[in-house]
Amino acid sequence: MESKQLRITEIFHSLQGEAISAGLRTVFVRLTGCPLRCKYCDSEYAFFGGEKMSLKEIVEKVKSYDAEHVCVTGGEPLSQPNCLPLLSDLCDEGFAVSLETSGAMPIDSVDARVSRVMDLKTPDSGEAHRNRYENIDLLNQHDQIKFVICSRADYEWARFKLEEYNLTQKVAEVLFSASHEELPHRDLADWIVADRLPVRFQMQLHKILWGDQPGF
């Protein structure tokens, strides 16, 4: 039987730029393809192309960097069905595995050992209609929810969702990020402080250090 394969845009070794593990040395496995077209997307180069690799080849490449943390990202990694066995294989190897997902795909079959970092797409992303709110009930204290905020209207929408779904009680962290070059970081920080929101403000460390270059 032919071994399971995935189409991979890149595998690289860097520092995690956001979420709970920000600043930790991490191997990133970026899968090719995404059904969404968020207006602020910073990985459009992952929409097409890529190289087919077997799951074994991917795991061996990840192991070569001698890092504890692995982040499977995209694109939208769950748009490729073989992402699910890859996540399990990485967990079996003892890695601390996180999955960055748009929230537009079902997450019920993701290995329970994986920390799911799930977006809720705001109205200004252009893809809020793709949110699968049923995913929220599947999240737990091992997971995280991220809002990328483009405007004050997005912020107010995110505040409403925070309360509507009692998000801070469901997951380990709720993350608020300002859309790069659309909303000043200081504005978002000031709003969070003024409203005393129980969320984690974050800036994308990798962009501060290396800009928008692929592979960082």
Side-chain angles (χ1 to χ4, degrees), residues 50-76:
E51 173 189 356
K52 285 187 176 180
M53 297 178 66
S54 70
L55 301 194
K56 182 178 180 181
E57 288 173 326
I58 296 167
V59 171
E60 289 303 311
K61 180 70 171 178
V62 169
K63 289 167 67 175
S64 72
Y65 291 110
D66 193 26
E68 177 183 355
H69 295 266
V70 181
C71 179
V72 178
T73 186
E76 168 50 69

Side-chain angles (χ1 to χ4, degrees), residues 175-204:
L175 310 162
F176 274 31
S177 297
S179 178
H180 195 58
E181 296 184 350
E182 285 193 89
L183 177 67
H185 296 294
R186 172 68 180 271
D187 287 357
L188 178 57
D190 286 344
W191 298 341
I192 291 170
V193 172
D195 292 328
R196 302 182 181 183
L197 293 191
V199 302
R200 182 188 291 268
F201 167 79
Q202 63 173 13
M203 297 173 64
Q204 293 177 300

Side-chain angles (χ1 to χ4, degrees), residues 21 25 62 77 135 139 154 177 215:
S21 57
R25 197 163 56 84
V62 169
N135 279 337
L139 298 171
D154 267 5
S177 297

Side-chain angles (χ1 to χ4, degrees), residues 4-8 10-11 28-31 53-62 70-73 77-78 80-95 97-99 109-111 113-114:
K4 293 178 180 177
Q5 293 184 321
L6 285 164
R7 188 168 290 278
I8 300 295
E10 57 186 349
I11 299 174
F28 294 84
V29 181
R30 188 180 301 282
L31 276 62
M53 297 178 66
S54 70
L55 301 194
K56 182 178 180 181
E57 288 173 326
I58 296 167
V59 171
E60 289 303 311
K61 180 70 171 178
V62 169
V70 181
C71 179
V72 178
T73 186
L78 293 179
Q80 294 192 55
N82 283 336
C83 177
L84 295 172
L86 173 65
L87 293 168
S88 295
D89 287 355
L90 290 169
C91 289
D92 290 345
E93 291 289 339
F95 292 108
V97 182
S98 62
L99 168 72
S109 298
V110 174
D111 194 300
R113 295 170 291 179
V114 174

Side-chain angles (χ1 to χ4, degrees), residues 7-153:
R7 188 168 290 278
I8 300 295
T9 293
E10 57 186 349
I11 299 174
F12 63 96
H13 178 218
S14 187
L15 299 181
Q16 176 59 266
E18 50 192 333
I20 287 176
S21 57
L24 295 178
R25 197 163 56 84
T26 301
V27 179
F28 294 84
V29 181
R30 188 180 301 282
L31 276 62
T32 305
C34 184
L36 280 70
R37 292 295 182 266
C38 301
K39 73 172 190 178
Y40 49 68
C41 182
D42 59 2
S43 56
E44 293 180 359
Y45 62 93
F47 288 171
F48 308 103
E51 173 189 356
K52 285 187 176 180
M53 297 178 66
S54 70
L55 301 194
K56 182 178 180 181
E57 288 173 326
I58 296 167
V59 171
E60 289 303 311
K61 180 70 171 178
V62 169
K63 289 167 67 175
S64 72
Y65 291 110
D66 193 26
E68 177 183 355
H69 295 266
V70 181
C71 179
V72 178
T73 186
E76 168 50 69
L78 293 179
S79 65
Q80 294 192 55
N82 283 336
C83 177
L84 295 172
L86 173 65
L87 293 168
S88 295
D89 287 355
L90 290 169
C91 289
D92 290 345
E93 291 289 339
F95 292 108
V97 182
S98 62
L99 168 72
E100 294 185 342
T101 179
S102 65
M105 306 290 293
I107 63 169
D108 55 313
S109 298
V110 174
D111 194 300
R113 295 170 291 179
V114 174
S115 178
R116 297 167 292 191
V117 185
M118 191 187 84
D119 279 22
L120 279 182
K121 297 299 183 184
T122 61
D124 283 354
S125 74
E127 294 285 9
H129 63 286
R130 304 296 293 271
N131 287 326
R132 294 177 62 95
Y133 290 103
E134 59 267 36
N135 279 337
I136 293 175
D137 287 336
L138 302 173
L139 298 171
N140 57 50
Q141 289 295 316
H142 191 46
D143 301 317
Q144 303 161 64
I145 288 180
K146 181 175 72 172
F147 294 87
V148 178
I149 296 171
C150 306
S151 64
R152 180 73 196 204

Side-chain angles (χ1 to χ4, degrees), residues 120 133 147 153-167 176 197:
L120 279 182
Y133 290 103
F147 294 87
D154 267 5
Y155 172 77
E156 296 297 342
W157 182 90
R159 281 184 62 195
F160 178 79
K161 295 301 181 186
L162 191 69
E163 183 174 350
E164 180 184 11
Y165 289 99
N166 196 23
L167 295 180
F176 274 31
L197 293 191

